Amino acid sequence: MSHWRPSSGFVGDVIPFSHAGRIWLFYLLDERPEDPTAGASGMPWALVSTTDFVQYTDHGVVLPAGDRDAVDFDCYTGSVVADGSQLHLFYTGHNPRRGDANGSYQVVCHAISDGDPTRWTKLPELSFGAPAGLVPQDWRDPFVYRTAADQPWQMILAARYADAPDRRCGVVARLTSTDLEQWTIAEPLWEPHRFVTQECPDVFQWGDWWYLVYSEFTDAFQTRYRIARGPDGPWLAPGRDTVDGRAFYAAKSVEHEGRRFFIGWIPTKQGDSDAGRWEWAGDLAVLEAHQEDDGTLAFGLPAEVVATYSDVQQVKLDVEPALDRYAAWVGEVAPERCLITLTVDVEAGTQAFGLLLHASADGEEATVVRLEPQRNRIVLDRWPRGRTGPAQWQVDGDVPYVVELERACPLPPGRHAVQILLDGTTGQAIVDNRVALTFRRYELGPGHLGLFVTDGAVDLVELQVARPAG
């Protein structure tokens, strides 16, 4: 299984930590009780570890939720750092029964370990809430780091100004400390005047560039990033400022053995239906980042994940130009778990091309991964689409792709490579090892694989399907 999920429950925000040769993936365990209003138990942190994002060790719950009256009845997102031999875990404490008429409060909480990431001792006396001027209901996702070994610790948080326009009052608040216990408010790291808030902030240095990663739900549910030449900014938007789309949320990064990985979660949908609304939490997914000269990040699948799909079969299709029409070529049924690799040479002026997944034998019903050179984007579409009524014209033709599953993607004429990792109802499409579009599709259909072109021509260089070895 490429997209990991615990045997019971779902993966929420992931907090990655590199330690002792392994990547430790702490995550918020969403157990989804049948009656969520009962409030019998809160949300804990669970842990899974890996060295390759292929084989996982499940360590279960390692930071249990607090009792009914505790400030950390719910243990929400945070970070883990090492200070010598001791580990420090900072997290968001929340209790729906603590707050005021405006909602329940959030506080920063602290736990320590002697070096074992599976064993933690909470330090409730070190918990603290938002200072004056910031909304006490939004004081979450503490991320702790140093800009250099001889510099003070810094903590940034997702916060909001109390007296500011609601939609634009989000701020990345900042505090400093010399001992990881006493914290002093400092100048904010970033005030964009753009979002409700910037969740799950993450800062790291890579070569000559500094990165600020965050997730937002104001313009779109996406993980974005900004770049700067120094740790204090100014933070600038690169040409491609998103990590992925709607279906890869709250991604945080980790450096491990000289490589940078981003780990997020693929949300489920209500009723396990393509027509259902996105839900919070789902399956774990990973992308590996690569740095371009101007600081922009490109994203692809880790080589270790790709290598597990070693049972390769070539797909033979006789592809012809479709200069003024739509044409599709459909092959055999592809397995539910596989890695599809497409390499094509695209002629100038081609309107669209792509792959049909889970398709009917005639290609009319499918999950459609469509690349549009005229718009320089990739989208996920599906047929049949929804309907507004029984009449012929009452089809969702005004919804040209699945809402929120669209990415900007450079597609000049010439050669392009597309990888699609399918893992049951989840999938990840990677274009040129630069642009990622993660998705979920429940109604899988008969399962044929096809290629299509609209108003143009592509030269099919290679199309292959690889199954997991063994």
Side-chain angles (χ1 to χ4, degrees):
M1 180 179 296
S2 299
H3 300 145
W4 186 85
R5 181 193 291 184
S7 58
S8 177
F10 301 84
V11 176
D13 298 354
V14 179
I15 300 94
F17 177 57
S18 177
H19 176 70
R22 296 185 69 81
I23 301 174
W24 304 84
L25 302 171
F26 301 90
Y27 66 94
L28 309 191
L29 175 60
D30 185 3
E31 298 174 283
R32 295 190 186 174
E34 291 186 12
D35 182 6
T37 63
S41 61
M43 180 171 289
W45 278 30
L47 175 63
V48 62
S49 66
T50 185
T51 59
D52 55 11
F53 297 102
V54 176
Q55 300 295 326
Y56 292 92
T57 300
D58 187 355
H59 304 279
V61 171
V62 295
L63 187 75
D67 61 31
R68 180 178 176 84
D69 296 321
V71 295
D72 66 345
F73 174 81
D74 292 310
C75 299
Y76 290 159
T77 308
S79 59
V80 178
V81 297
D83 185 22
S85 61
Q86 193 170 65
L87 305 181
H88 294 258
L89 187 156
F90 296 89
Y91 64 104
T92 306
H94 169 265
N95 190 323
R97 287 167 288 276
R98 288 173 171 262
D100 57 25
N102 295 316
S104 47
Y105 297 150
Q106 295 178 336
V107 298
V108 172
C109 299
H110 192 168
I112 58 172
S113 166
D114 61 3
D116 182 351
T118 69
R119 298 175 63 87
W120 296 93
T121 301
K122 294 182 180 181
L123 304 175
E125 69 277 7
L126 296 181
S127 301
F128 62 94
L134 294 173
V135 176
Q137 290 83 6
D138 288 282
W139 184 246
R140 64 178 176 273
D141 308 340
F143 180 80
V144 175
Y145 64 104
R146 271 177 167 162
T147 59
D150 60 347
Q151 294 298 307
W153 294 96
Q154 299 196 39
M155 176 189 291
I156 56 174
L157 301 106
R160 303 178 71 204
Y161 285 122
D163 297 315
D166 184 71
R167 188 165 61 93
R168 302 184 186 277
C169 67
V171 58
V172 180
R174 177 164 50 173
L175 303 93
T176 62
S177 175
T178 58
D179 61 5
L180 291 172
E181 292 187 2
Q182 301 301 315
W183 293 90
T184 303
I185 194 73
E187 288 294 316
L189 185 64
W190 192 42
E191 298 177 274
H193 304 288
R194 179 175 171 184
F195 304 113
V196 172
T197 190
Q198 293 78 235
E199 297 191 298
C200 303
D202 179 5
V203 170
F204 62 88
Q205 184 181 14
W206 192 347
D208 294 331
W209 293 98
W210 284 82
Y211 292 83
L212 168 62
V213 182
Y214 61 95
S215 293
E216 60 94 2
F217 48 81
T218 310
D219 297 343
F221 270 85
Q222 284 187 297
T223 302
R224 300 181 182 271
Y225 69 96
R226 294 292 184 264
I227 61 176
R229 287 297 191 181
D232 299 317
W235 299 102
L236 306 175
R240 300 190 310 275
D241 75 333
T242 54
V243 174
D244 201 317
R246 174 63 175 90
F248 188 85
Y249 192 64
K252 293 172 73 71
S253 76
V254 64
E255 188 275 332
H256 183 71
E257 297 182 350
R259 300 160 68 187
R260 176 69 55 174
F261 301 97
F262 280 68
I263 303 94
W265 45 266
I266 306 174
T268 54
K269 285 193 166 185
Q270 287 181 345
D272 291 345
S273 167
D274 289 326
R277 295 181 66 87
W278 294 109
E279 296 177 305
W280 192 87
D283 301 68
L284 183 149
V286 61
L287 295 168
E288 183 171 358
H290 307 278
Q291 189 182 50
E292 299 181 353
D293 291 342
D294 64 356
T296 301
L297 297 180
F299 295 94
L301 298 172
E304 295 87 343
V305 173
V306 173
T308 62
Y309 294 87
S310 57
D311 181 5
V312 178
Q313 294 184 350
Q314 302 294 329
V315 179
K316 301 295 184 181
L317 298 174
D318 295 324
V319 178
E320 300 176 355
L323 299 180
D324 61 351
R325 63 188 177 93
Y326 170 90
W329 302 268
V330 180
E332 298 299 319
V333 171
E336 286 191 9
R337 289 182 169 82
C338 66
L339 178 67
I340 300 165
T341 303
L342 168 71
T343 305
V344 291
D345 280 320
V346 183
E347 288 194 8
T350 299
Q351 186 182 77
F353 69 97
L355 287 166
L356 304 175
L357 312 174
H358 320 127
S360 56
D362 60 5
E364 286 299 289
E365 297 185 4
T367 301
V368 183
V369 177
R370 186 170 68 243
L371 295 93
E372 302 175 345
Q374 292 182 347
R375 295 183 174 91
N376 280 315
R377 73 178 181 182
I378 176 176
V379 304
L380 189 87
D381 200 355
R382 61 186 176 96
W383 280 93
R385 291 178 180 164
R387 300 192 67 88
T388 60
Q392 181 188 58
W393 54 271
Q394 288 176 311
V395 62
D396 280 341
D398 57 346
V399 183
Y401 53 87
V402 178
V403 175
E404 297 182 301
L405 292 187
E406 175 257 356
R407 299 289 321 283
C409 182
L411 293 167
R415 182 159 295 192
H416 295 282
V418 183
Q419 293 174 306
I420 299 181
L421 176 62
L422 296 180
D423 189 4
T425 66
T426 59
Q428 290 177 282
I430 310 293
V431 182
D432 296 329
N433 214 35
R434 297 177 80 193
V435 177
L437 179 66
T438 299
F439 59 91
R440 186 182 291 277
R441 184 76 200 272
Y442 287 102
E443 297 154 23
L444 299 184
H448 290 272
L449 173 64
L451 173 70
F452 72 92
V453 182
T454 301
D455 293 332
V458 298
D459 178 20
L460 177 58
V461 178
E462 183 179 60
L463 178 59
Q464 65 181 32
V465 176
R467 293 173 170 83

